[in-house]
Amino acid sequence: MKKILFSIFTFIFIFNLNAQTNLYENPEFDEIAKTHKIIAVVPFKTQVKLRPKQMKDMDDEKLHRLEKAEGEGIQTAMYSWFLKRKKRGKLKNLEVQDPKVTTALLKRKNINYDNITDYTPQELAKLLEVDAVISGEFETNKPMSEGASVALGLVLGFWGSTNSAIVNMSVHNAEDGVLLWNYNKKVRGSIGSSPEDLINILMRKASRRLAYTKSN
């Protein structure tokens, strides 16, 4: 049974891009990015919107744990995306802070998923001792992570349903807190899609406008 479930959910559903895309790039981002040596990605604040019928089998505590896991999953996926670019030589002179280090440094200041939005990106960047912080919000009507999808599929009957997700991510400068880059996009996928799939699709075109990964 486990092997069957594993086979089913290792299938990756390709996201369909929605025409609605909003991308902002600070005109000075290219020049500012040249001075950056290290950046960090913090957990994305997540909202999983379930239907009332589905919420009957999901209490507030379970939903909170699910949303937290999704937000951390996006953080890890974004970190992995940058690491792959670095391996290909597309991140010259730029380091990306390991999420484990980010979490540990924030924890020392009693900052966690629940209260991270109480702090400005500039404050977070200074605490993490990085030159810029990538943060964002993630909204979906079903979870993206495979484990959560399997669990909810069994409990709430999500099998075969299409889901949608909206991701809004930003890059803020540590020195002055200025917004350098913002990308807001809606995508559609299916159960079994992962945070890695989501980030890969989102960044496929957006990376061409991201100063850290632009071709010279």
Side-chain angles (χ1 to χ4, degrees), residues 50-96:
L50 303 179
R51 296 191 297 271
K53 183 179 180 180
Q54 296 165 340
M55 280 301 298
K56 291 180 180 180
D57 298 303
M58 175 70 71
D59 58 35
D60 291 340
E61 183 180 352
K62 290 180 180 178
L63 181 61
H64 176 267
R65 288 203 304 267
L66 173 62
E67 292 178 335
K68 180 175 181 291
E70 290 291 296
E72 292 171 347
I74 295 296
Q75 176 194 23
T76 301
M78 195 77 231
Y79 171 67
S80 298
W81 185 87
F82 274 109
L83 285 188
K84 291 176 182 177
R85 294 325 174 268
K86 186 173 182 62
K87 186 176 181 180
R88 297 173 187 173
K90 295 184 178 181
L91 286 181
K92 297 180 180 179
N93 303 317
L94 184 71
E95 297 294 329
V96 185

Side-chain angles (χ1 to χ4, degrees), residues 120-131 133 174-177:
T120 67
Q122 185 180 16
E123 290 173 327
L124 295 175
K126 290 183 176 180
L127 288 172
L128 297 171
E129 298 182 346
V130 296
D131 299 309
V133 161
E175 184 177 359
D176 49 18

Side-chain angles (χ1 to χ4, degrees), residues 24-26 28-29 32-33 35-42 44 82 94 116-117 119-126 128-137 168-183 210 212:
Y24 164 77
E25 181 184 10
N26 189 305
E28 299 181 2
F29 190 13
I32 294 174
T35 68
H36 289 179
K37 300 300 180 183
I38 182 170
I39 63 175
V41 184
V42 299
F44 279 41
F82 274 109
L94 184 71
I116 195 168
T117 54
Y119 299 82
T120 67
Q122 185 180 16
E123 290 173 327
L124 295 175
K126 290 183 176 180
L128 297 171
E129 298 182 346
V130 296
D131 299 309
V133 161
I134 296 177
S135 60
E137 297 84 39
N168 182 29
M169 65 175 67
S170 301
V171 180
H172 284 86
N173 195 35
E175 184 177 359
D176 49 18
V178 168
L179 176 64
L180 299 176
W181 189 82
N182 176 264
Y183 188 49
L210 184 63
Y212 301 131

Side-chain angles (χ1 to χ4, degrees), residues 195-214:
E196 288 78 11
D197 299 323
L198 175 65
I199 294 301
N200 286 336
I201 291 295
L202 284 172
M203 299 304 292
R204 183 173 297 169
K205 292 184 178 181
S207 60
R208 300 171 189 171
R209 300 281 299 278
L210 184 63
Y212 301 131
T213 56
K214 283 181 179 178

Side-chain angles (χ1 to χ4, degrees), residues 92-111:
K92 297 180 180 179
N93 303 317
L94 184 71
E95 297 294 329
V96 185
Q97 191 173 81
D98 189 314
K100 293 180 180 178
V101 174
T102 301
T103 299
L105 292 175
L106 293 177
K107 188 176 181 180
R108 292 175 188 175
K109 299 295 183 179
N110 296 315
I111 300 175

